[in-house]
Amino acid sequence: MRKNIILLFITFIICSVNSYSQHINGHVFTIEDGKMSGLPGVTVFFPNTGHGTTTAKDGSFEITKSETEPLKLAFSLVGFAPDTVELSGKDQHIMLEMKPVTELNEVQVSGYQTGTINSRLSLFRVETITQTGLAKLACCNLSESFENSATVTVGFTDAVSGAKQIQLLGLSGIYVQMMGENIPTMRGLAQTFGWNYIPGPWLESIQVSKGASSVLNGYESISGQINLEFKKPQTADPLFINLFANATGRYETNITAAVPLSDKWAVGLLGHYSTETGEHDFNRDGFRDRPTSELVNLYNRWDYQSAEDNGLHSQTGLKFLYDTRQGGQTKHGDHAEHVNNGNPLFISDIANKNFTVENKTGMYVDANHYSSIGFINSFTHYEQDAEIGMKLFGGHQNTYYSNLIMTSELDENHVHKLSVGVSFLYDNLQSHFEDKRNSNEGNLTVFLPQTTYTQIDKTEIVPGAFTEYTVSPTEKLTAVLGLRADRNSRYGWLVTPRANLKYDVNEHITTRISAGRGFRSPNVIFENIGLMASSRMVDVQNINDLDMEKAWNFGGNLQFAIPVSESNHISLGFDYFHTRFQNQIVADMERNRNSLYFYNLQGKSYADVWQADLTFSPFTRFDIYAAFRYNNTQITYNEGSKQYTKEKPLTSRYRGLINLAYATPLRKWVFDFTTQLNGPTRLPNLDGYDGKSEYSPVYPMMYAQITKNTKRFDVYAGAENLTGYRQKNPIIEPENPFGKNFDSSRIWGPLMGREFYIGVRLRIGELK
């Protein structure tokens, strides 16, 4: 009966849309010194819709118009006068000349962009958070950029360190491949606090891709991929300043600058400074609710773009970061020498440093621009030193990554495309873990009368080769088949097949399916920093013998664009993804409440995720985004010969979200409101596997923001966690932090209450 209802519903949706479409292609060019030159990067779109594309390197484009979209096609490119072409209603070819803007006086161009875009054009299931979406929130870093997303969940790892972690497709963020403009980033040690280190004002957009992704970027994507697009030196405002402060003592300054040095060279600088000054203890448990911290982050970008036919384009970046954060019990000074009533204080003292240099270079290798070659090189040095209670751990990691890709159109009709390449990864990690406790700690009950020290060194050398074939036999159907083989010096051969297929039933209905395999090298101490903020003894005997994690991911998506008027439609999407591990590193904190074990999976572990989302604009400049996600994540624990398959702890079963956004004409005033409903999560058992499981309560979260925009100056103010909801008693036995039952890792909800904030954005120089 249920299947019949679902089929009836899908049939109704299909029958309610019209299959008419109009195919439009063309060429956009400009005249320079009497010579016609194709214009790449021109935005081609139907006004007042989210449907558009961009021109290729030679200025060509293709787009399909539905019956409900207007008979106009708009063209826009920075530095050129915008233009609009009237359409005939039939398939047609357009040749359009765009003229450079030599003088601009008292001209105001206004655009309208939604905060979240679920593209029907992308081959992969991608959710894009735009600059508009990033501006809906407080002056955010990456870990705070997903409050308007049901796809990604963010939470604290513990109540002491201030570290945050995301979840995607019911799995920890360590299974997401992080990319910065298609260069792997936030790997290894950097994963612990890396989500705090990417300022929102630096970004143009965030693309969240679910499930199996391309093999071109490596084998490390299991649950999906997140790609960050930073502001470009050629298109960013000359000087942009963002200042932010909240009522609990957090202050931020973000600066982005772009300077064109010539018609080929441009340089950009992205800067960030933030500090957390408040020592708040609102629940009066003797521990800071959030660490004090200081962060300096710099990113220098150099961009070269040739005007020659080969289209040579090279980008070089230099990154520097320094971060310190101090948490734990209040009223303490330097390390463990400080006492409170004769007893040492439990503190968290963490420092992180990073230096990265990277380069991307690409060019065409034939006159017709059918073939191109790209070369990526990146080197990262990362250091971390951490002291949490009596646990001391840290280390440094050096990573060199190189990727050479050649892509070629195999025919003039762009039906067949082949990409081949080779890659190389060198990863060297030298780290240590020390549990430093003794039996003479004042009046405390200390249960570990010895010191445990473990050296954890790991070197991986990974050459690899890959190929990816794309075929589009019709305009409606595209398939991508990819295969890569890598030889890891530590784990042996890694074979990664992946496949993606997209089919447009008509201009209103899109289907996607994907399948693929992924691998990940574990760094269990740093990836489980939240579990270090407890008195658990860490079993480190086999820590150097853990195997590579490996998993299959399968998924599908059905997306509808339901027309409601000539220029408006409802976007409705349904997702299902299944991830099944062949091997996973189990962090077992349930066998014994006083211990933590790491071992290879010996049973089953999987995650099923269902999600539905809806986007609708009932009238001009008012957007509604609603989504609901349900998780079923299971994992097997081992105790001798016994196995226990249980719901994975600290993973919310469901999340519902509604975002309302309204803007007055010309976006002079913008109003945003978001409400979340967070479902229950199973809490780690304290009495072994057979103990009765506890679940966190269902709780709401609300956010609101008002923005006043002018041409050069914006003011925004808002509040996070409007209801003031906080997790009660997040720390077990905070009065005895060195006793055997102390634990700050059972975190499922917010630690801070209602927070008000205010900020300003200032644009200086010629506006882009």
Side-chain angles (χ1 to χ4, degrees):
M1 181 63 181
R2 182 179 299 174
K3 291 183 178 179
N4 291 335
I5 293 174
I6 294 173
L7 289 173
L8 182 62
F9 173 73
I10 294 175
T11 302
F12 170 77
I13 295 295
I14 294 174
C15 293
S16 67
V17 296
N18 194 295
S19 62
Y20 171 79
S21 65
Q22 175 187 355
H23 183 69
I24 305 162
N25 59 35
H27 193 86
V28 183
F29 62 93
T30 188
I31 302 297
E32 296 179 327
D33 300 326
K35 181 181 178 182
M36 186 174 72
S37 176
L39 279 178
V42 178
T43 301
V44 184
F45 62 98
F46 296 101
N48 301 316
T49 73
H51 185 193
T53 185
T54 56
T55 58
K57 288 286 185 180
D58 61 352
S60 63
F61 72 92
E62 293 184 5
I63 194 168
T64 300
K65 176 195 172 300
S66 69
E67 185 180 28
T68 60
E69 289 172 323
L71 284 169
K72 292 182 179 181
L73 196 60
F75 298 80
S76 175
L77 180 65
V78 174
F80 291 81
D83 206 345
T84 302
V85 174
E86 297 286 341
L87 302 177
S88 65
K90 300 179 180 179
D91 292 355
Q92 64 186 99
H93 181 81
I94 295 173
M95 293 291 291
L96 177 70
E97 177 188 356
M98 294 188 71
K99 298 182 178 180
V101 177
T102 58
E103 184 176 356
L104 189 62
N105 293 319
E106 299 300 324
V107 174
Q108 186 172 16
V109 179
S110 176
Y112 184 67
Q113 184 182 53
T114 59
T116 302
I117 298 174
N118 289 304
S119 174
R120 290 185 289 125
L121 303 177
S122 172
L123 172 65
F124 304 101
R125 179 56 167 130
V126 178
E127 177 183 291
T128 300
I129 302 174
T130 65
Q131 279 189 315
T132 300
L134 292 169
K136 291 174 180 285
L137 305 168
C139 186
C140 55
N141 56 51
L142 188 59
S143 71
E144 300 165 326
S145 300
F146 301 104
E147 302 298 353
N148 290 326
S149 170
T151 299
V152 179
T153 302
V154 183
F156 285 99
T157 62
D158 59 89
V160 174
S161 70
K164 289 186 176 181
Q165 185 61 274
I166 74 161
Q167 291 181 359
L168 176 67
L169 299 188
L171 298 170
S172 167
I174 60 177
Y175 299 109
V176 179
Q177 185 178 28
M178 286 299 305
M179 310 290 291
E181 297 184 347
N182 292 317
I183 301 176
T185 185
M186 282 175 54
R187 300 181 64 261
L189 297 186
Q191 287 181 321
T192 308
F193 291 96
W195 303 99
N196 300 79
Y197 294 155
I198 308 295
W202 286 14
L203 298 174
E204 286 186 348
S205 65
I206 303 172
Q207 292 102 39
V208 182
S209 178
K210 303 178 188 180
S213 57
S214 170
V215 298
L216 303 184
N217 296 321
Y219 53 77
E220 292 182 323
S221 170
I222 290 180
S223 62
Q225 185 181 94
I226 296 179
N227 184 57
L228 310 175
E229 287 293 332
F230 294 91
K231 292 182 177 179
K232 309 296 190 294
Q234 301 95 332
T235 58
D237 291 323
L239 181 60
F240 173 82
I241 301 173
N242 186 302
L243 304 175
F244 168 89
N246 73 5
T248 57
R250 175 181 170 186
Y251 305 98
E252 288 192 16
T253 300
N254 292 284
I255 298 176
T256 66
V259 179
L261 303 178
S262 67
D263 58 347
K264 297 181 180 180
W265 283 95
V267 61
L269 179 65
L270 311 178
H272 170 89
Y273 174 78
S274 62
T275 180
E276 190 89 41
T277 61
E279 295 193 24
H280 302 291
D281 182 16
F282 292 116
N283 59 7
R284 300 185 181 280
D285 61 1
F287 279 75
R288 298 178 186 180
D289 296 328
R290 189 161 56 198
T292 58
S293 63
E294 189 171 26
L295 170 63
V296 177
N297 200 352
L298 299 173
Y299 185 11
N300 181 213
R301 311 191 69 188
W302 293 80
D303 194 285
Y304 174 84
Q305 191 159 5
S306 172
E308 305 298 328
D309 288 340
N310 62 11
L312 176 64
H313 190 187
S314 182
Q315 299 175 347
T316 301
L318 301 171
K319 299 177 182 178
F320 170 80
L321 177 142
Y322 180 74
D323 170 55
T324 60
R325 51 188 65 225
Q326 296 80 35
Q329 286 184 290
T330 57
K331 299 179 182 178
H332 68 268
D334 295 331
H335 304 287
E337 291 81 14
H338 291 270
V339 294
N340 182 12
N341 297 325
N343 295 322
L345 290 169
F346 189 102
I347 69 166
S348 169
D349 194 351
I350 301 172
N352 295 283
K353 302 174 185 177
N354 177 71
F355 173 75
T356 296
V357 56
E358 60 191 22
N359 175 267
K360 290 197 311 181
T361 300
M363 61 181 294
Y364 290 107
V365 295
D366 69 320
N368 295 323
H369 293 181
Y370 284 178
S371 300
S372 64
I373 189 168
F375 194 29
I376 297 174
N377 288 277
S378 174
F379 172 78
T380 296
H381 174 79
Y382 194 95
E383 297 180 18
Q384 183 179 110
D385 289 298
E387 174 185 356
I388 302 179
M390 288 297 175
K391 293 185 177 72
L392 286 76
F393 54 95
H396 66 266
Q397 182 174 10
N398 292 312
T399 300
Y400 171 71
Y401 169 80
S402 182
N403 201 18
L404 179 65
I405 305 172
M406 184 169 182
T407 299
S408 181
E409 301 280 356
L410 302 182
D411 64 313
E412 295 182 356
N413 297 321
H414 311 293
V415 174
H416 304 277
K417 183 172 73 173
L418 182 67
S419 296
V420 296
V422 292
S423 64
F424 180 81
L425 174 68
Y426 171 82
D427 220 352
N428 175 256
L429 171 66
Q430 297 184 11
S431 61
H432 66 273
F433 173 78
E434 182 177 1
D435 200 336
K436 188 177 181 181
R437 286 178 274 191
N438 58 67
S439 59
N440 298 312
E441 300 285 359
N443 299 322
L444 298 179
T445 302
V446 178
F447 67 97
L448 182 63
Q450 74 270 355
T451 294
T452 300
Y453 182 91
T454 302
Q455 186 70 27
I456 308 168
D457 295 339
K458 186 168 65 170
T459 298
E460 296 177 45
I461 301 173
V462 191
F466 54 86
T467 182
E468 188 171 82
Y469 170 63
T470 303
V471 58
S472 301
T474 70
E475 183 181 336
K476 294 183 176 183
L477 177 65
T478 302
V480 176
L481 302 175
L483 179 68
R484 66 176 299 129
D486 299 87
R487 175 67 180 179
N488 188 298
S489 60
R490 184 181 179 92
Y491 300 105
W493 282 102
L494 309 175
V495 179
T496 310
R498 290 179 186 167
N500 285 267
L501 184 144
K502 173 178 174 285
Y503 178 67
D504 296 323
V505 178
N506 54 43
E507 68 273 22
H508 300 294
I509 303 175
T510 299
T511 61
R512 299 179 180 89
I513 58 174
S514 65
R517 196 184 191 199
F519 300 86
R520 202 188 70 82
S521 177
N523 299 292
V524 293
I525 296 296
F526 302 95
E527 294 163 359
N528 293 277
I529 189 171
L531 302 180
M532 303 299 114
S534 69
S535 288
R536 296 177 184 271
M537 292 187 296
V538 181
D539 181 9
V540 294
Q541 293 183 4
N542 302 317
I543 205 168
N544 286 308
D545 300 323
L546 297 174
D547 199 1
M548 173 79 83
E549 294 188 290
K550 57 189 87 170
W552 286 90
N553 182 282
F554 307 92
N557 162 251
L558 186 61
Q559 197 167 353
F560 301 95
I562 305 171
V564 294
S565 69
E566 183 178 348
S567 60
N568 197 6
H569 67 271
I570 297 174
S571 177
L572 181 64
F574 299 95
D575 298 342
Y576 169 72
F577 287 90
H578 173 81
T579 306
R580 181 167 292 270
F581 283 90
Q582 295 176 289
N583 183 59
Q584 186 179 22
I585 305 306
V586 180
D588 188 345
M589 51 184 161
E590 304 194 54
R591 182 188 305 180
N592 184 328
R593 71 178 299 168
N594 303 132
S595 300
L596 173 63
Y597 302 91
F598 296 107
Y599 50 83
N600 293 313
L601 179 72
Q602 297 182 31
K604 59 184 178 181
S605 176
Y606 64 88
D608 289 310
V609 177
W610 295 263
Q611 181 170 324
D613 54 68
L614 178 146
T615 304
F616 178 48
S617 299
F619 54 87
T620 304
R621 299 183 306 279
F622 179 56
D623 296 327
I624 299 174
Y625 173 70
F628 183 84
R629 184 197 69 231
Y630 179 81
N631 298 328
N632 177 29
T633 307
Q634 303 286 327
I635 190 168
T636 300
Y637 297 102
N638 298 319
E639 185 178 18
S641 60
K642 296 182 179 179
Q643 292 186 341
Y644 303 85
T645 300
K646 301 174 71 69
E647 184 178 353
K648 188 173 177 61
L650 303 177
T651 302
S652 177
R653 281 188 179 176
Y654 60 80
R655 187 185 198 189
L657 179 144
I658 298 177
N659 174 253
L660 307 176
Y662 175 71
T664 62
L666 299 179
R667 296 186 63 83
K668 290 185 176 180
W669 288 92
V670 180
F671 304 88
D672 289 289
F673 175 78
T674 299
T675 182
Q676 302 172 359
L677 183 66
N678 296 278
T681 177
R682 187 180 75 82
L683 303 180
N685 287 341
L686 298 177
D687 301 312
Y689 304 121
D690 295 329
K692 184 178 180 180
S693 294
E694 297 180 67
Y695 287 85
S696 66
V698 177
Y699 67 93
M701 290 285 285
M702 296 182 183
Y703 306 82
Q705 181 175 284
I706 301 174
T707 305
K708 170 59 176 159
N709 293 318
T710 66
K711 185 176 181 180
R712 295 188 176 274
F713 189 78
D714 306 335
V715 179
Y716 59 95
E720 300 178 285
N721 194 5
L722 280 169
T723 63
Y725 185 88
R726 294 200 306 266
Q727 178 179 342
K728 294 181 179 179
N729 305 318
I731 300 178
I732 298 174
E733 293 193 11
E735 70 280 359
N736 190 14
F738 294 100
K740 63 179 181 179
N741 293 327
F742 173 83
D743 194 346
S744 70
S745 65
R746 297 178 97 214
I747 302 301
W748 47 264
L751 301 176
M752 299 290 290
R754 186 183 301 108
E755 294 188 85
F756 294 97
Y757 62 85
I758 189 170
V760 297
R761 306 185 188 101
L762 178 64
R763 290 168 286 273
I764 300 174
E766 182 181 355
L767 300 181
K768 299 295 181 67

